[in-house]
Amino acid sequence: MTDQQDKPWIEGKSNDWHAYIAGTCTIEESARLEKLLLEDEQALMLYLVALEQMESTLKDYSAWMDTERFTDQVMAVLPELEAEPSQVIFKKRRWFEKPVFHYVVAASLTLILLSSGAFDKMMPQTDGKPIPPKERVSYSEEVMRATTTWLDKLKP
């Protein structure tokens, strides 16, 4: 590339800066101009001049950057939707989908297990004497044994 091609202010290429500022130039052109800004001080000065020239145009772009104003504009364009009571549909829950039902079932099962003595079978009956570690059975084994005996009693 020649020196003349790298400098957009030569031969009326200042429109390149306007395109760069507006964001309408290609990616390659944008990269080339950014490199120029970093390397050439005269290019930076011309970029600032182009910014001053486009200041009125940039005010229109800044309106898009103002999020509150942008939101208000979008909301003004949207059609007004009014929710009528006939349109609002509440799906009725079935009786077994309500949380109260689940609490009642859990409480009932707890009472059944307490009254049947299922929890009593988990504790070793030692009459206050400590059990030696070798004779102790794990709680999971006790629960399994109690469950299987309970299920065996239910079988006809």
Side-chain angles (χ1 to χ4, degrees):
M1 239 183 217
T2 65
D3 196 35
Q4 215 173 27
Q5 288 175 333
D6 277 343
K7 298 184 179 184
W9 58 87
I10 298 175
E11 296 180 8
K13 290 190 176 184
S14 62
N15 288 337
D16 290 347
W17 290 118
H18 293 277
Y20 176 75
I21 293 168
T24 57
C25 61
T26 63
I27 296 173
E28 294 84 16
E29 185 71 15
S30 177
R32 183 179 71 80
L33 292 172
E34 287 173 5
K35 183 180 175 187
L36 267 174
L37 285 173
L38 293 173
E39 294 173 354
D40 195 352
E41 196 165 318
Q42 189 179 4
L44 179 62
M45 296 306 283
L46 288 171
Y47 170 73
L48 293 174
V49 168
L51 265 176
E52 288 175 5
Q53 291 172 355
M54 293 187 66
E55 189 173 354
S56 63
T57 311
L58 292 177
K59 288 182 183 175
D60 294 335
Y61 289 132
S62 67
W64 287 100
M65 299 308 250
D66 183 16
T67 56
E68 289 181 23
R69 184 174 169 199
F70 175 72
T71 304
D72 292 339
Q73 288 174 350
V74 169
M75 294 304 290
V77 172
L78 291 176
E80 292 293 324
L81 297 176
E82 294 181 19
E84 296 177 12
S86 62
Q87 290 178 340
V88 179
I89 299 172
F90 291 103
K91 181 181 174 187
K92 282 189 142 186
R93 287 184 177 176
R94 293 176 280 196
W95 61 273
F96 57 87
E97 290 178 338
K98 294 183 179 181
V100 173
F101 172 74
H102 297 277
Y103 286 118
V104 168
V105 169
S108 301
L109 287 175
T110 303
L111 288 175
I112 290 171
L113 290 173
L114 281 172
S115 64
S116 70
F119 296 119
D120 292 337
K121 294 177 184 175
M122 288 175 39
M123 298 302 294
Q125 298 173 356
T126 61
D127 298 328
K129 298 177 186 175
I131 299 175
K134 293 180 183 177
E135 295 179 14
R136 287 187 192 158
V137 182
S138 70
Y139 288 117
S140 59
E141 289 179 21
E142 287 290 327
V143 169
M144 289 299 295
R145 188 177 306 134
T147 306
T148 53
T149 55
W150 182 64
L151 287 174
D152 289 339
K153 289 179 185 177
L154 290 177
K155 287 183 183 177

